[in-house]
């Protein structure tokens, strides 16, 4: 129907109040499962180091004659490894006028940005620590900044790699952590996971957590339909609707139970991190904290408020053979 002539509309009116909800809705995930899992440990230098060692292989010929005059075995020294601390920050500048202006959803622009950037900084730390980043010693200038060796870069003993890939790991010649070379991506499978668990167990590891991207978690749940997996049956209740079980969050391997944890930050970081599914022994890694997150207040040089959130930290991998990684899997979609 046509509008009656001379109807006064909202389009014609002056002075109608705007409506803006007094709340800011944010759904971006802020959890950091890896950092929460491994815990924290203080470090007091920019290059913390530690030692690793292994037992000799079993000697099946260890039978000695009576009255033997001993020949003594050579002693293998421990391996000295280390990582460098990395400085990460978030910088904020808000005009004095904007901070004092009446706003919807927050009282102080500065306070809100400080809280938001603090969460973002922790997420940066999570993804950097999980990454394939090689370590770098730095040389005191902006061109060569110190970098920590990421978790993926450390793992070389128990890494299942796609075709054409190569292990990274700690380089005793340079005392740096080398990045792994990515291989051809492939579909995540029960066979890949089982082989990585077996390798980790044989090396002496006892991983208790499988950390992977959300897409890879959905692929893991399909392992329930594998021919070698015991079927699960649930009784249908008489008084209520039944539940369809389409997911699993625990894996009972031949060598113990493994908790399966999806990490949304791995997907948000992109394929470089999401292409890995990590088997982790939380007792054998930690976040090395040189300086916890602090709020610095730079000198005032204009009509604005400045804040910088800054931290210095590293990744301590007690012994990389305690962990494993199913690398080069499709971690975002069935083809990426």
């Amino acid at each position: 129907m046509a509008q009656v002539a001379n109807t006064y509309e909202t389009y014609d009116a002056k002075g109608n109040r705007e409506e803006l909800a007094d709340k800011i809705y944010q759904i971006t995930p802020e959890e950091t499962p890896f950092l929460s899992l491994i815990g924290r440990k203080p470090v007091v230098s920019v290059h913390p180091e530690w030692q690793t060692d292994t037992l000799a292989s079993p000697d099946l010929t260890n039978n000695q004659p009576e009255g033997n005059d001993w020949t003594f075995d050579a002693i293998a020294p421990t391996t000295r490894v280390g990582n460098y601390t990395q400085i990460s920050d978030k910088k904020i500048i808000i005009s004095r006028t904007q901070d004092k202006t009446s706003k919807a959803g927050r009282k102080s622009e500065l306070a809100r940005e400080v809280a938001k950037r603090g969460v973002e900084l922790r997420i940066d730390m999570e993804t950097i620590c999980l990454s394939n980043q090689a370590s770098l010693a730095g040389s005191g200038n902006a061109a060569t900044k110190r970098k920590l060796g990421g978790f993926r870069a450390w793992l070389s003993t128990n890494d299942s790699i796609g075709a054409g890939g190569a292990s990274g790991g700690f380089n005793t010649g340079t005392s740096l952590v080398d990045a792994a070379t990515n291989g051809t991506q492939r579909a995540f499978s029960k066979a890949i996971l089982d082989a990585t668990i077996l390798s980790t167990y044989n090396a002496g590891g006892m991983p208790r957590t499988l950390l992977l991207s959300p897409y890879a978690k959905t692929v893991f749940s399909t392992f329930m339909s594998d021919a070698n997996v015991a079927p699960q049956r649930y009784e249908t209740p008489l008084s209520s609707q039944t539940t369809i079980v389409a997911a699993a969050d625990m894996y009972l391997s031949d060598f113990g139970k493994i908790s399966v944890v999806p990490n949304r930050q791995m997907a948000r970081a992109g394929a470089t991190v999401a292409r890995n599914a990590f088997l982790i022994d939380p007792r054998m890694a930690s976040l090395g904290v040189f300086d916890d997150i602090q709020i610095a207040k730079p000198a005032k040089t204009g009509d604005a408020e400045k804040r910088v959130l800054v931290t210095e930290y590293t990744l301590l991998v007690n012994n990389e053979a305690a962990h494993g990684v199913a690398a080069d899997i499709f971690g975002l979609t069935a083809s990426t």
Side-chain angles (χ1 to χ4, degrees):
M1 295 178 64
Q3 186 185 79
V4 178
N6 295 324
T7 300
Y8 188 57
E9 300 179 291
T10 57
Y11 306 109
D12 305 318
K14 306 294 183 184
N16 289 349
R17 289 188 179 277
E18 293 180 341
E19 181 180 354
L20 177 60
D22 196 27
K23 184 177 284 289
I24 298 171
Y25 298 93
Q26 177 178 300
I27 64 167
T28 307
E30 59 183 65
E31 68 271 15
T32 51
F34 181 62
L35 297 185
S36 298
L37 183 69
I38 64 175
R40 298 154 59 93
K41 181 179 178 180
V43 297
V44 295
S45 74
V46 300
H47 186 216
E49 296 179 279
W50 57 98
Q51 299 175 78
T52 64
D53 202 1
T54 58
L55 298 176
S57 299
D59 183 0
L60 299 179
T61 64
N62 193 354
N63 60 314
Q64 309 300 330
E66 189 174 321
N68 185 37
D69 189 4
W70 294 301
T71 299
F72 292 91
D73 299 328
I75 296 177
T78 58
T79 300
R80 183 171 174 172
V81 300
N83 210 351
Y84 283 91
T85 61
Q86 174 170 329
I87 300 171
S88 296
D89 64 20
K90 293 288 183 181
K91 297 169 282 290
I92 306 161
I93 182 167
I94 305 290
S95 74
R96 174 190 53 79
T97 304
Q98 172 58 22
D99 198 44
K100 294 182 69 69
T101 297
S102 178
K103 297 170 287 294
R106 69 276 195 202
K107 181 178 181 181
S108 168
E109 197 77 61
L110 185 61
R112 177 179 180 273
E113 284 299 317
V114 166
K116 178 183 174 183
R117 298 298 177 91
V119 172
E120 292 173 348
L121 185 52
R122 291 199 306 273
I123 291 172
D124 287 353
M125 295 166 65
E126 170 91 354
T127 53
I128 290 169
C129 284
L130 281 171
S131 73
N132 190 29
Q133 175 177 281
S135 67
L136 187 62
S139 61
N141 58 62
T144 52
K145 300 166 283 189
R146 284 194 309 275
K147 290 184 179 181
L148 64 84
F151 195 55
R152 171 63 193 99
W154 271 96
L155 305 185
S156 59
T157 302
N158 310 306
D159 52 345
S160 173
I161 308 173
S167 300
F170 186 80
N171 187 323
T172 55
T174 63
S175 294
L176 296 172
V177 181
D178 295 332
T181 300
N182 288 334
T184 302
Q185 285 182 273
R186 65 259 170 89
F188 187 36
S189 67
K190 181 178 181 296
I192 292 174
L193 177 60
D194 287 344
T196 310
I197 295 172
L198 175 61
S199 174
T200 308
Y201 181 80
N202 282 338
M206 292 293 289
R208 288 292 174 255
T209 302
L210 174 64
L211 191 71
L212 69 183
S213 71
Y215 171 76
K217 172 61 170 64
T218 67
V219 176
F220 167 80
S221 292
T222 67
F223 294 178
M224 292 191 299
S225 59
D226 188 279
N228 295 314
V229 173
Q232 298 182 5
R233 306 188 189 282
Y234 293 87
E235 182 179 358
T236 302
L238 298 177
S239 59
S240 61
Q241 292 184 330
T242 190
T243 299
I244 296 175
V245 179
D249 55 11
M250 187 70 71
Y251 191 65
L252 179 56
S253 75
D254 288 308
F255 312 106
K257 287 184 178 181
I258 298 175
S259 177
V260 183
V261 179
N263 186 340
R264 287 185 281 202
Q265 309 305 347
M266 293 174 67
R268 296 182 67 228
T272 56
V273 177
R275 65 189 293 136
N276 303 295
F278 294 106
L279 286 165
I280 303 169
D281 183 345
R283 302 167 302 174
M284 298 297 285
S286 57
L287 179 71
V289 181
F290 182 83
D291 232 346
D292 214 342
I293 297 177
Q294 299 183 33
I295 303 175
K297 189 176 181 181
K300 193 175 180 67
T301 56
D303 191 16
E305 290 294 329
K306 304 172 186 176
R307 297 292 186 274
V308 177
L309 278 70
V310 62
T311 184
E312 188 163 354
Y313 60 101
T314 190
L315 178 64
L316 307 176
V317 181
N318 297 1
N319 193 314
E320 61 83 22
H323 314 280
V325 58
D328 303 324
I329 62 172
F330 296 133
L332 296 177
T333 70
S335 61
T336 60

